[in-house]
Each structure stands twice: as C-alpha cells, then as structure tokens.
Amino acid sequence: MRSVIAFLVIISIFGCTSSKNENLKTHAFTNDLINESSPYLLQHAHNPVNWRPYGKDALLQAKKEKKLMIISIGYAACHWCHVMEHESFEDSTVAAVMNKNFIPVKVDREERPDVDQVYINAVQLMTGSAGWPLNVVTLPDGRPVWGGTYFRKKDWINALGQIQEVYREEPEKLIAYANRLEAGIKSMDLISLNTEDVDFTEYPTAEIIEKLATKFDAKNGGFRGAPKFMMPNNYEFLLRYANQEGNTNLQDYVNLSLKKMAFGGLYDQVGGGFARYSTDEKWHIPHFEKMLYDNAQLVSLYSNAYLVTKDPLYKEVIEETLAFIARELTNDEGGFYSSLDADSDDESGSLEEGAFYVFTSKELQQLLKDDFPIFKEYYNINSYGKWENEHYVLIRKKTDTEIETAFNISSEALQEKKKHWKKTLLSYRNKRPRPRLDDKTLTSWNAMMLKGYVDAYKALGHQEYLDIALSNANFISEKQLQKNGALFHNYKEGKSSINGFLEDYAFTIEAFVELYQVTIDEKWLDLSKRMTDYTLTNFLDDEKHMFYFTSKEDPEIVTRSFEYRDNVIPASNSVMAKNLFILSKYFENTRFDTISHQMLKNVVSEIEQYPSGFTNWMDLLLNFQNDFYEVVIIGKEASEKIKEINNNYFPNIIIAGSEEEKDGALFANRYVPQETLIYICVNNACKLPLNNTKTVIKTLNKKQ
C-alpha cells in the first residue's frame, strides 16, 4: 500500500512515462456538454473529449463499462482552467487517451460545490494542496484514487497511462487505496457535539485577536504573504470588535487594509469592482477575474466602514462597485450573473489575462492629452505601476489631498478631472474585446449581493439601491423559492435544475432578514422563517446540532459533510448559526437560540487554533458576550425613524417596526395612537419608550 500511495503522489507532482504504449486512435466523438446551461461546461462542449456532466448517468456508465472516471472541475473565470483546456482537452491525442480508457466528467464547481468539496478534500489529502483546475481519477463508483491540479500535456498523458496500467494489472491496489482515502475524506469535516459547559462571557476573545494580529501586514494591510485574498468576513469582525471595544489600533489596521485594497490594482480604478485576489503582497497586480461573491461582500464591508468613518474613499468604492454590478453583472429579471473572466482577446486575437484592463503609456497620453502629467502621478504610470509588455495597471499611492497639494488644484477640480478620466477610459476600454461573462445565476451569491445593496442603502441612503435589492429579492422568491420552503441553487434562461445547498438557504435567510429591517415588510421575515424551518427538517443533524451542506433529499457523494470553517466566503454553518440567533429574537423561539448556542460551542476549540478561519463565528460570539438589543419602533413615522437609526453602525441590534397597531411577540401592547415610540430591549427587558431618534442613537452608542 505504501508503494502505491508513494507512486500516486509522485506522478501527481512530476508525471512519469508509461511502460506500455496506449492505442491513441480517436474514438467516436460524443461530448454531452452541449445540452448543459453552465457557461463553464459549454466552454468544453466542443472539445474532442467525450465529456459527460456529473450525475447518475455518468456513474452508471462507468460501472457498466467498468472504467475509471476522470472528474475534471473548474469554473468559467479560471485562467489555468483555460490553459489546460487549450493544451490538453482541445488536443485529439489527449482526447483519445481519455476517451478510450476513462469516462471523462466535467464539473462546474460553482454549480456543484458539493462535488467540488469532496474531491478537493481528496486532492488535499493526497498531495497537501489543491486548487483549480482540479483533476481527479476515481473508481467506477466515484471514489477517488488519484488527483492534482494543472498538468502539462505530456505529464497528463503519462499519468493517465500509469493509472490505467495499475487498474488493469493490479486493481486491488487502487481499491485498497480508495478505501483508505474514503476514510480520510470522511474524517476531514467531522465535528463532535460539545457537551461541556461553555461560558461565552469568559471566552478569551482579546487573546485570540492578539494571536490573529501576529499575521497582520502593518505596512500593506491584510495578512502577510502572497497571493493576497481579501477575506471580507475577517475585517467585518475586526471592524465590529474595534468599534465595540474602542480599540483605535485595530480600527487603524482595518482602515489601512481597506484603503490599500482600494488604492491597489486589485480595485478596477476605471470601472469599479474588485478582482478576486492580488498576486503580490502590496495589492498591486490582480488576478483579473471578477467574482460576484467578492464584490457583494466588499460592498457590505465598505458600507459598514463608511458608517463608522464617513471616509469619502469608501463612499466612492461603494458607488463605483455597484455601478459595475449594475452595468456588467445584472440581468433583466433582477438577478445577478456570476463572474467575468480574467482573460480576454488581446490585439492579436489571443486570449490573455488582464488584456481588457491594462494600458500602455502611449494610449493614456493620447487619450488624456494635457491631463496626462497629473494622471500619471495619480495612478503611477511609472515603475511602481508597470506590469508587463509595456503595460500598466492603474494603482494609487497618494491621497487626493496630496495630489491637490502637489499640483496646486482644488478638491473640486480634481474630482472633476477624475470623473473625466474614468469616463474617457471606460468608453475607450469598452471598445476592446470583453472578458467572457459567466451568465448563470446562483442563489447564494445573489443573496450576498442583495445584502450588499441593503447595506449600501443603509450607509448612503440611495433609493435606487433599495429598489434593486427589492427587485433581486422578488427574483429569488418568485423564481428560486418553492412553496415548501425549498430553494434551487442555479438559474439560467428560465430554468432551475439543481437543488439548493445549505449556502443558498443561509445567505438568503440572512439577506431577507436584512431587507425586512429596512422595509419593515413582514413578507421577508416570514419567508426567512419558512426557509429556516425547511433547513431544520432537511439539513440538520439532530445529534450534533450542525447542518449538513446537502439536503437529505439529495444522493450522497462519497460522504455527506459539514461546511463550518470560514473562508473567502463565510461557512454556511456560521451564517446559519447567526440566522438562528437573530430569528430567535423575532419569533421568541427558544429552539433556535439553543441550536445557535450549541453550534458555537461545537467550534470553540478550533477558534483558538485557527482564528482567521472562524471570524464569522467570532462575530456570533460577540452577540453572546455583550448586550444585544431589540429595537422596536411602532407608529406612523416608524419608517423614517428606522432609516435614521440604520444610518449608524450598530452590529449588535435587530430592528422591528410597524406603522400601525399589531400583535406579535415584539409589538403587543406597545402601540399608542398619534405617537411613534421606540423601545430598546435586552433579553426581553425593555427601557421606557423614547420618541427621539437622537436619544436612541446616543443610548445604543454607549459602550457596555
């Protein structure tokens, strides 16, 4: 067994030469992806590889023909996925090898995060790292035996030859390895019920933040090292903690990180919106793909930071990013598309990463004429901003005030110049071949963007943001939500075909609750409750008090796992735990509160070991450690007063409101004709009602 494992790891890293020549004769071309809706799968629909979409038909075929499967996973905006497609999957020689001895299966990781998670865990176990493209060879029953990420053509052919030879000559070795690996996969996301008493008020949050701070990049913001991902939920938690504790050093670090991200090439200085990550530690050179989920979370983060600081840079980022979303990633039905590719055609017609976004100095001089000297200084058209092939990424280094001083111009004049520059360059750039659009709509990502619009409305008060949020909420509730509370995961051209995952429920419940708190339309609260009840029935492990990622209605893929570690996107379990805490307040539901409390208890031991992977859980922890307020506003001026309160940073409150008398746990016996009263309550104990919003804001701002 050890020799087999060593062999598998060696060829996953280096490749090797098959001792027997395979017959490379091309077989019949039966690529089934042409019938799929996923843009990523459609990109591969004309490969000579006999691709199948993932599903029971592919598994049945593999079992019937007793063939190994190749499960190849990626997504539409993935640069190295395109590279491997061009080098290998478009090549007839490679296709002949794959078609003869394997059942090739293509997976869009965004459509099928459940499939992706199983096989990325497998490759992580086999090689110590994983990413996309993700390429795995499995037994006919889908259990993995070998895998890796990007492979050069020669290495890919040789590795497949070696795997097939082992399967033909000594299949028992692969079966034994699959058994071992299956056990390892099942152990990766196991979580135990914590039956110990945990006093959250005594939990060492300050010490954990000190541990986290050892990884802070004090010069560039973010965390040390490269590549550098933005990790919005890390900063959401740190922003809240800094504000709650009056920790100016931590607040300064959060502001440094947000400003450096906004100044960097990571941020599209012309068209708004953020790329997925920075390839360097200074946020300078982006990996140019733009993902909906990143921009959704960053809009929320910059909106909350704006409420705290009123920094005009944050306002600019919010407005420009949402202009990008409206322009590039919004469909006619109120839904949001998934991403823009990193690659687009260059001047020679070849796909090149970043071609759409970068400029030569000559181009900029011709476009901006007399303004070029100040533009050059503002966006560093020099060695600081130089990328490759005489192209520049627009990067900021100095503040507006520093530029105004250096060029002796007024703030108003600089702002007018910036508007002119961006309009000119955007118009010029839009004539270039555009990055490919992934136009599928995912419920979870749409819900994140919906919340982003709500948070931006709270921060800036722009009615159009609320209108767009409502349009998207109606899209989700009408197209994706079924009468029994079940959600679909995907949508394209009128079709929804994949059952929702926990992430879809978690983020949609969260977004609808947020929408209720700005509209006081109980429809959104009631729909949140309906979806929550559905998840409790179909996703909850009653013994462990954690939610599986997949519904009990869906077939198991090797194992049924719990997603509970926060990453670039918060874990679906951490979001659900927060949802249950919030909904327990609205519905006085002790079961919701008990489950939320137990879920947090289950992960506390891991928080101390790896705090950056649990910051959304730590945000929930703060709810248990400190006073959490229910703010109830009832009377004809309720909506106006709610808007005033929402224009402040209060992460430790929920808002309930009504313009007329009503029953219910939060409203009973609180309506007084001709008055609008505001009740501030903690754990069902309420202060005397107030009618002055300023007094309420002052009360809520007091440090406890």
Side-chain angles (χ1 to χ4, degrees), residues 140-201:
D141 60 10
R143 291 185 298 156
V145 295
W146 174 84
T149 53
Y150 164 77
F151 293 89
R152 292 168 296 181
K153 173 183 170 181
K154 180 181 178 181
D155 295 338
W156 180 241
I157 291 174
N158 290 338
L160 294 181
Q162 290 285 354
I163 290 290
Q164 176 58 25
E165 183 177 338
V166 174
Y167 184 59
R168 182 175 58 245
E169 302 293 337
E170 300 177 286
E172 68 280 359
K173 288 188 176 181
L174 289 186
I175 293 169
Y177 183 63
N179 291 337
R180 291 271 302 277
L181 192 57
E182 179 183 9
I185 294 169
K186 289 181 175 180
S187 71
M188 285 187 74
D189 290 320
L190 284 181
I191 191 162
S192 301
L193 179 72
N194 183 355
T195 58
E196 297 179 4
D197 290 332
V198 179
D199 184 353
F200 291 138
T201 62

Side-chain angles (χ1 to χ4, degrees), residues 515-522 633 638-639 642 655-659:
L515 187 59
Y516 164 74
Q517 293 187 82
V518 296
T519 62
I520 57 173
D521 183 345
E522 286 202 349
I633 303 135
S639 294
I642 286 172
I655 289 177
S658 175
E659 294 181 348

Side-chain angles (χ1 to χ4, degrees), residues 312 316 320 378 396 399-401 404 409-422:
E316 185 177 292
E320 290 182 349
Y378 194 91
R396 291 185 60 185
T399 65
D400 284 3
T401 302
E404 290 157 12
I409 61 174
S410 67
S411 174
E412 292 76 15
L414 179 61
Q415 295 309 311
E416 284 302 312
K417 286 183 181 295
K418 283 171 60 179
K419 288 179 184 177
H420 170 69
W421 298 340
K422 293 182 179 188

Side-chain angles (χ1 to χ4, degrees), residues 58-101:
L59 286 161
L60 287 173
Q61 183 184 359
K63 290 176 181 177
K64 180 180 178 182
E65 299 182 18
K66 298 181 180 179
K67 286 185 175 182
L68 298 173
M69 290 197 295
I70 296 170
I71 297 182
S72 181
I73 304 173
Y75 57 100
C78 169
H79 171 72
W80 287 102
C81 299
H82 305 328
V83 173
M84 190 166 177
E85 178 193 12
H86 178 66
E87 291 179 350
S88 295
F89 302 145
E90 292 178 353
D91 184 271
S92 59
T93 302
V94 176
V97 173
M98 295 173 66
N99 295 340
K100 180 183 179 186
N101 295 315

Side-chain angles (χ1 to χ4, degrees), residues 278-407:
S278 168
T279 60
D280 60 274
E281 64 181 7
K282 299 178 181 178
W283 308 108
H284 280 198
I285 306 302
H287 187 41
F288 289 90
E289 64 199 34
K290 284 181 168 181
M291 314 302 294
L292 180 67
Y293 63 78
D294 282 322
N295 286 282
Q297 293 178 91
L298 288 163
V299 166
S300 290
L301 174 59
Y302 278 89
S303 295
N304 286 329
Y306 180 76
L307 289 176
V308 173
T309 66
K310 304 301 180 185
D311 189 322
L313 172 65
Y314 299 167
K315 181 175 184 286
E316 185 177 292
V317 167
I318 297 163
E319 291 177 336
E320 290 182 349
T321 299
L322 290 180
F324 153 69
I325 295 296
R327 186 178 66 245
E328 307 278 353
L329 293 181
T330 303
N331 67 27
D332 293 336
E333 298 176 273
F336 303 115
Y337 297 133
S338 294
S339 65
L340 288 176
D341 205 326
D343 301 349
S344 58
D345 288 340
D346 61 15
E347 292 177 354
S348 66
S350 300
L351 275 180
E352 181 181 337
E353 184 182 1
F356 184 72
Y357 298 102
V358 297
F359 300 90
T360 64
S361 178
K362 183 179 179 181
E363 283 178 305
L364 294 168
Q365 290 181 64
Q366 291 174 341
L367 289 165
L368 302 172
K369 299 180 174 58
D370 292 343
D371 263 0
F372 180 70
I374 186 171
F375 179 93
K376 178 180 179 180
E377 184 70 14
Y378 194 91
Y379 286 119
N380 290 282
I381 310 305
N382 49 40
S383 59
Y384 191 76
K386 194 170 185 180
W387 183 39
E388 56 186 29
N389 301 323
E390 300 302 318
H391 284 88
Y392 293 85
V393 176
L394 304 187
I395 300 168
R396 291 185 60 185
K397 193 174 183 180
K398 296 180 179 178
T399 65
D400 284 3
T401 302
E402 289 172 315
I403 294 293
E404 290 157 12
T405 301
F407 288 86

Side-chain angles (χ1 to χ4, degrees), residues 203-204 208 211 603-611 614 618:
Y203 197 74
I208 290 174
K211 180 179 179 180
V603 302
V604 287
S605 61
E606 284 198 54
I607 292 176
E608 296 179 45
Q609 300 170 31
Y610 182 46
F614 290 88
M618 292 176 74

